[in-house]
């Protein structure tokens, strides 16, 4: 096994787990005006904390779950997915999918470092799961059916248990039938507090914002009825704050408030504004930012969170509105929509409070390592198939995509390009990423993100931080209509390069163990003669890694080389042309991305193939691929072709091509 070079990551993990153990649990000290919330289900077995919540400011807070575990460092709660009859839009009750009978589901409160145990019971007629959005959980706890766990069948249950590594506002929702389940009412918030953060950040309020649409007969609108709805995403006609319309909150002028805002809507973008004021945005998805910034408008895509401080000022008896402004996210998003009021802040008949100094807030966020990073291009795409809208990544809808590979600690840059005419909120499961602009400059302040807007025709560079939690992890657009239409992919994170991308058949060996050893020259010859089309290549690699592509019967090949060989690969000197006249190496079209090199092969003017060398990890590993086709679609091409044009290497997203690997000998010395 090769050693990994992860100084920043392991340091970070160490700090987190050290903090973790010295933490007291929060008291359940705040909350609730039960008279207004007719939905409060505080029967003894509802799991809801009947005493939680006392702030009498008129604002309806989320129900909270009772911690069933006496250990101060364990939070153990029960969630039941169940149908409930609720009147969300007007006075008429309708049946919705809920957690514990409320929409949103109850708030789970814990401290950073606690162990969270959630016992899910599925009392729905359909299977379900829970995904913990934004949390760095072990792979088996990520809640993706068929990928990280089996579905929880009707009547079944599942125990989620993991340590809370980060302090922030997170949320939970199913990852099964998301349009119906999340789009209806299965979503809830988790607030993980940091007991070590400075006091005096303001009176804290969790605001779970979502929306809902009912058909005329009152049934919830789930499925997009037209392709237009798919493209636009279903925005519910009614905005909900903690499941309520027309929320209000009594405040004292000058009072410091802290809003923990979560966008749980299926498609709607939020642009928060408190008329006449600005927010101090201190954090978001992955906790506090490097430093706070003032924002007149705070935009949140579906899935994103914001940690805001604001001190509203006004005369007693007057009010100021927290509104969401229309967001131009393409596809006619702002047509006939004006600002909508989320909460009316009403000034109490009390003297203004004097301004107080805000505690210094800064967080040391190390810049993710991008040296020698493998750059992966991900184009968010839309097309049609059988006259229906199909979305995808690099032109490939989720069902047909093969996984993208990475190794724990491997630096990668994901260049996410939005070629469509509308915005997509890009979400990665299980890991934080940092964001760079198109030129590669890190954003300021630095933050840990898990969901980010990619506006139309724009590009963002994301640097995921691959800690040692191997497994399959989803990434997708968090407009759930888009995800469902195919804009979703899987990252397969391996512990070591030995296992990278390879599924070892039961009783089998890894390809590295049983592939033939070829010299660089033999590799070139193999490419030239197409001998790789014959056994043993085909049979062996096909069992090693079954592929989904219909035109890629060939398997993968691996290369092991030392620095010297890698250097020569990068210089384009490793593979020379075969002498059958078919393949010709051209040094001009060599792309060298540091850890990756591509060569193009010509037949006349026509590019007929690519050889791609990819450094897998460690000082001496590399992979070689050869693909037949005019363009590489592996993310390193500077101008990827439109979907349908030719083949690519099958390194993640590509369809087809011929992919094989060669086990080069270890080259020693210079
Ligand atoms: Cu909230 Cu797969 O995501
Ligand atoms: Cu999208």
């Amino acid at each position: 096994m090769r050693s990994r070079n992860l100084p920043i990551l392991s340091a970070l993990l160490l700090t987190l787990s050290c903090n973790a153990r010295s933490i007291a649990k929060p008291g359940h000290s705040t909350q609730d005006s039960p008279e207004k919330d007719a939905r409060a289900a505080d029967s003894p077995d509802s799991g809801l904390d009947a005493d939680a919540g006392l702030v009498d400011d008129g604002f309806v807070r989320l129900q909270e779950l009772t911690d069933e575990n006496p250990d101060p460092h364990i939070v153990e709660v029960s969630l039941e997915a169940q149908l409930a009859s609720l009147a969300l839009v007007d006075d008429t009750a309708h049946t919705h999918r809920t957690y514990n009978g409320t929409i949103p589901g109850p708030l789970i409160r814990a401290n950073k470092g606690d162990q969270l145990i959630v016992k899910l019971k599925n009392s729905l007629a359909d299977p379900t799961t829970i995904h913990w959005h934004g949390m760095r959980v072990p792979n088996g706890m990520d809640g993706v059916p068929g990928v990280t766990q089996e579905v929880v069948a009707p009547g079944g249950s599942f125990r989620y248990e993991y340590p809370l590594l980060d302090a922030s506002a997170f949320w939970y929702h199913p990852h099964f039938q998301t349009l119906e389940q999340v789009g209806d009412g299965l979503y809830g918030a988790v607030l993980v507090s940091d007991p070590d953060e400075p006091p005096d950040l303001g009176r804290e309020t969790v605001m779970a914002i979502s929306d809902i649409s009912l058909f005329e007969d009152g049934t919830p609108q789930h499925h997009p009825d037209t392709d237009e709805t798919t493209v636009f995403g279903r925005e519910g006609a009614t905005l909900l704050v903690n499941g309520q319309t027309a929320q209000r909150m009594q405040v004292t002028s000058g009072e410091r408030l802290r809003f923990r805002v979560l966008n749980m809507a299926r498609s709607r973008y939020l642009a928060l504004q408190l008329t006449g004021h600005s927010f101090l945005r201190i954090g978001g998805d992955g906790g506090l930012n490097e430093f706070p910034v003032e924002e007149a408008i705070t935009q949140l895509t579906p899935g994103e969170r914001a940690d805001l401080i604001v001190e509203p000022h006004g005369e007693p008896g007057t009010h100021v509105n927290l509104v969401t402004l229309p967001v131009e996210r393409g596809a006619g998003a702002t047509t006939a929509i004006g600002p909508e009021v989320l909460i009316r802040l009403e000034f109490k008949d009390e003297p203004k409070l004097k301004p107080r100094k805000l505690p210094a807030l800064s967080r040391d966020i190390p810049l993710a390592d991008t040296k020698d990073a493998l750059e992966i291009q991900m184009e968010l795409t839309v097309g049609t198939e059988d006259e229906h809208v199909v979305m995808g990544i690099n032109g490939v809808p989720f069902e047909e995509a093969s996984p993208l590979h990475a190794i724990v600690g491997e630096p990668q840059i994901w260049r996410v390009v939005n070629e469509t005419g509308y915005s997509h909120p890009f979400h990665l499961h299980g890991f934080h990423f940092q964001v760079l602009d198109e030129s590669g400059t890190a954003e300021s302040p630095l933050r840990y993100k898990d969901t980010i807007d990619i506006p139309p025709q724009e590009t963002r560079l994301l640097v995921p931080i691959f800690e040692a939690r191997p497994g399959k992890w989803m990434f997708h657009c968090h407009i759930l209509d888009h995800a469902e239409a195919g804009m979703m992919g899987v990252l397969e994170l391996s512990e070591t390069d030995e296992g990278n991308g390879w599924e070892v058949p039961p009783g089998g060996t890894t390809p590295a163990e049983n592939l033939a050893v070829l010299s660089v020259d033999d590799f070139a010859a193999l490419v030239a003669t197409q001998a790789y089309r014959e056994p043993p290549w085909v049979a062996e690699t096909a069992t090693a890694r079954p592929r989904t592509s219909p035109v890629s019967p060939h398997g993968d090949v691996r290369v092991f080389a030392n620095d010297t060989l890698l250097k020569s690969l990068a210089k384009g000197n490793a593979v020379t042309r075969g002498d059958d006249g078919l393949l010709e190496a051209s040094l001009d079209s060599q792309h060298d991305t540091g850890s990756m090199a591509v060569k193009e092969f010509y037949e006349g003017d026509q590019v007929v193939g690519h050889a791609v060398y990819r450094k897998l990890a460690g000082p001496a590993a590399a992979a070689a691929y050869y693909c037949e086709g005019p363009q590489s679609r592996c993310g390193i091409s500077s101008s990827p072709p439109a979907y349908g044009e030719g083949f690519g290497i099958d390194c993640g997203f590509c369809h087809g091509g011929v992919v094989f690997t060669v086990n080069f000998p270890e080259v020693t010395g210079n």
Side-chain angles (χ1 to χ4, degrees), residues 18 35 48 74 115 165 243 266 322 328 373 489 496 589 602 632:
C18 294
E35 359 40 86
L48 299 177
I74 301 176
Q115 185 80 357
L165 303 181
R266 197 168 102 178
L322 177 70
E328 183 45 68
T496 67
S589 49
Y602 287 84
S632 160

Side-chain angles (χ1 to χ4, degrees), residues 213-534:
S213 260
L214 302 178
F215 285 123
E216 252 160 53
D217 67 356
T219 54
Q221 179 194 343
H222 301 313
H223 273 294
D225 35 1
T226 61
D227 274 351
E228 285 69 46
T229 320
T230 299
V231 167
F232 186 54
R234 188 223 64 183
E235 277 195 7
T238 305
L239 254 179
L240 301 172
V241 179
N242 295 352
Q244 307 284 316
T245 56
Q247 280 263 39
R248 61 201 179 84
M249 181 188 288
Q250 276 151 21
V251 299
T252 305
S253 181
E255 180 180 9
R256 181 171 298 158
L257 303 175
R258 182 176 184 190
F259 295 164
R260 311 298 300 261
V261 194
L262 303 98
N263 186 350
M264 301 185 181
R266 197 168 102 178
S267 301
R268 184 193 289 257
Y269 277 47
L270 300 171
L272 308 173
Q273 185 185 47
L274 186 64
T275 318
H277 296 76
S278 57
F279 302 112
L280 193 68
R281 188 173 191 166
I282 64 173
D285 296 359
L288 293 182
N289 293 343
E290 189 181 19
F291 52 84
V293 279
E294 211 172 292
E295 278 184 354
I297 296 169
T298 293
Q299 181 178 301
L300 289 181
T301 72
E304 271 190 303
R305 288 88 67 206
D307 191 351
L308 305 173
I309 292 178
V310 66
E311 292 174 1
H313 288 275
E315 295 306 318
T318 65
H319 69 267
V320 61
N321 287 330
L322 177 70
V323 299
T324 181
L325 304 171
V327 178
E328 183 45 68
R329 60 176 177 89
T334 55
T335 313
I337 298 181
E340 291 180 74
V341 178
L342 293 168
I343 306 170
R344 184 174 137 135
L345 300 183
E346 301 168 345
F347 293 105
K348 291 193 230 174
D349 198 4
E350 276 174 12
K352 292 189 180 188
L353 296 174
K354 289 211 192 67
R356 286 166 304 151
K357 207 169 161 311
L358 191 76
L361 279 172
S362 69
R363 179 179 179 191
D364 191 20
I365 297 185
L367 187 61
D369 182 15
T370 52
K371 197 168 165 289
D372 293 332
L374 172 66
E375 192 170 303
I376 303 211
Q377 173 128 346
M378 290 188 203
E379 218 176 278
L380 308 176
T381 49
V382 58
T384 48
E385 214 168 281
D386 299 333
E387 294 179 12
H388 277 293
V389 171
V390 177
M391 301 200 172
I393 297 178
N394 292 343
V396 184
F398 173 62
E399 313 75 63
E400 296 168 30
S402 18
L404 171 75
H405 296 290
I407 301 161
V408 168
E410 178 184 8
Q412 291 195 348
I413 296 178
W414 292 7
R415 177 179 287 272
V416 186
V417 182
N418 181 357
E419 290 284 8
T420 74
Y422 27 93
S423 303
H424 301 286
F426 188 95
H427 171 51
L428 169 65
H429 283 208
F431 301 93
H432 292 149
F433 53 78
Q434 290 181 359
V435 184
L436 317 178
D437 68 14
E438 263 189 83
S439 73
T441 310
E443 62 176 2
S444 175
L446 276 175
R447 352 173 242 171
Y448 289 120
K449 293 291 292 168
D450 54 66
T451 312
I452 187 97
D453 183 37
I454 318 283
Q457 304 296 320
E458 290 192 24
T459 296
R460 296 285 182 279
L461 272 54
L462 314 182
V463 185
I465 300 165
F466 294 132
E467 297 138 356
R469 281 174 294 118
K472 289 184 180 156
W473 300 93
M474 311 298 292
F475 50 92
H476 57 89
C477 176
H478 219 287
I479 290 180
L480 298 179
D481 304 87
H482 293 181
E484 206 79 0
M487 198 175 280
M488 185 152 68
V490 185
L491 161 78
E492 192 168 345
L493 185 69
S494 314
E495 191 84 63
T496 67
D497 55 344
E498 315 288 334
N500 184 32
W502 300 88
E503 273 168 38
V504 182
T509 52
T510 65
E513 283 166 305
N514 62 10
L515 272 185
V517 173
L518 292 188
S519 70
V520 174
D521 287 347
D522 289 344
F523 174 56
L526 188 70
V527 167
T529 60
Q530 302 196 7
Y532 56 82
R533 290 181 174 281
E534 306 301 326

Side-chain angles (χ1 to χ4, degrees), residues 123-184:
S123 300
L124 301 171
D126 294 309
T128 193
T129 60
I130 297 182
H131 166 60
W132 305 93
H133 183 118
M135 290 185 159
R136 299 187 294 143
V137 295
N139 190 251
M141 296 291 117
D142 197 46
V144 182
V147 177
T148 69
Q149 70 168 99
E150 293 303 312
V151 287
V152 184
S157 51
F158 192 88
R159 180 186 168 100
Y160 293 95
E161 177 168 1
Y162 50 87
L164 297 168
L165 303 181
D166 301 293
S168 190
F170 304 99
W171 61 301
Y172 57 95
H173 64 74
H175 227 277
F176 183 76
Q177 296 177 345
T178 56
L179 297 183
E180 295 92 330
Q181 298 199 5
V182 190
D184 191 356

